[in-house]
């Protein structure tokens, strides 16, 4: 079982405040002989007709000396998890949770803008101090 990231519980609390029910901590992706661990699984009732929306959330802290290195690792992990979720549970949406300050630093620059334009990530931007979700980018 992997260690929880610095902001794991803050994102978990923010999701709960936003009306999500945490169903898995961690959400285990079993594929072949391997198990991968996404930080959180959650669901929320959309409406009686549409039922529950299910998400998986990978929390990233971006704490190394190189934001670009953190971004490269996050993108690789996100693609791996995304592709596996599409095979095993295609109705579940995958999100990467990042700090608001990380979003403002990386995703306002050309490198981040390209990733957003090409829809490489679905993001949850959160405020760690208040433990709230600031923005969803599907």
């Amino acid at each position: 079982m992997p260690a929880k990231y610095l902001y794991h519980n803050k994102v978990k609390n923010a999701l709960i405040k936003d009306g999500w029910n945490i169903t898995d901590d961690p959400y285990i992706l079993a594929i072949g002989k391997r198990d991968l661990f996404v930080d959180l699984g959650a669901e929320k009732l959309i409406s009686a007709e549409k039922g529950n929306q299910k998400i998986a959330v990978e929390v990233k802290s971006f704490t190394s000396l190189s934001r670009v290195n953190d971004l490269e690792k996050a993108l690789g992990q996100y693609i791996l998890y995304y592709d596996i979720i599409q095979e095993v549970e295609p109705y579940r949406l995958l999100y990467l949770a990042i700090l608001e300050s990380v979003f403002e630093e990386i995703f306002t620059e050309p490198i981040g803008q390209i990733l957003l334009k090409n829809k490489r990530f679905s993001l949850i931007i959160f405020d760690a101090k208040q433990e709230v979700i600031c923005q969803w980018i599907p």
Side-chain angles (χ1 to χ4, degrees):
M1 198 80 88
K4 293 182 179 177
Y5 284 93
L6 178 65
Y7 297 110
H8 179 93
N9 288 330
K10 294 187 178 292
V11 171
K12 184 177 177 178
N13 292 337
L15 287 167
I16 292 168
K17 285 181 183 179
D18 200 49
W20 290 88
N21 178 37
I22 304 301
T23 57
D24 303 276
D25 184 0
Y27 170 66
I28 300 170
L29 278 176
I31 186 82
K33 296 178 182 178
R34 308 275 181 195
D35 287 339
L36 301 171
F37 301 92
V38 183
D39 291 315
L40 297 165
E43 66 182 15
K44 184 178 192 178
L45 180 65
I46 298 173
S47 69
E49 300 84 35
K50 292 186 178 180
N52 288 340
Q53 180 181 10
K54 293 186 177 190
I55 61 173
V57 180
E58 182 62 21
V59 180
K60 289 297 177 203
S61 302
F62 282 75
T63 56
S64 80
L65 296 176
S66 170
R67 295 281 200 229
V68 172
N69 187 45
D70 287 340
L71 183 63
E72 290 170 340
K73 287 180 181 178
L75 180 58
Q77 190 173 18
Y78 184 91
I79 290 169
L80 177 64
Y81 290 173
Y82 179 88
D83 287 349
I84 294 169
I85 287 172
Q86 289 301 302
E87 288 291 318
V88 300
E89 203 172 4
Y91 51 85
R92 186 178 293 270
L93 303 175
L94 177 62
Y95 284 89
L96 183 74
I98 60 171
L99 281 168
E100 188 174 30
S101 60
V102 171
F103 177 78
E104 290 169 359
E105 181 181 339
I106 297 292
F107 289 92
T108 57
E109 293 181 14
I111 192 169
Q113 290 293 303
I114 290 168
L115 294 173
L116 291 175
K117 182 181 87 172
N118 292 320
K119 299 185 186 284
R120 297 292 184 210
F121 289 113
S122 291
L123 297 174
I124 296 172
I125 294 94
F126 68 96
D127 178 318
K129 191 178 233 182
Q130 296 181 33
E131 296 184 351
V132 295
I133 295 171
C134 304
Q135 187 177 358
W136 292 82
I137 300 177

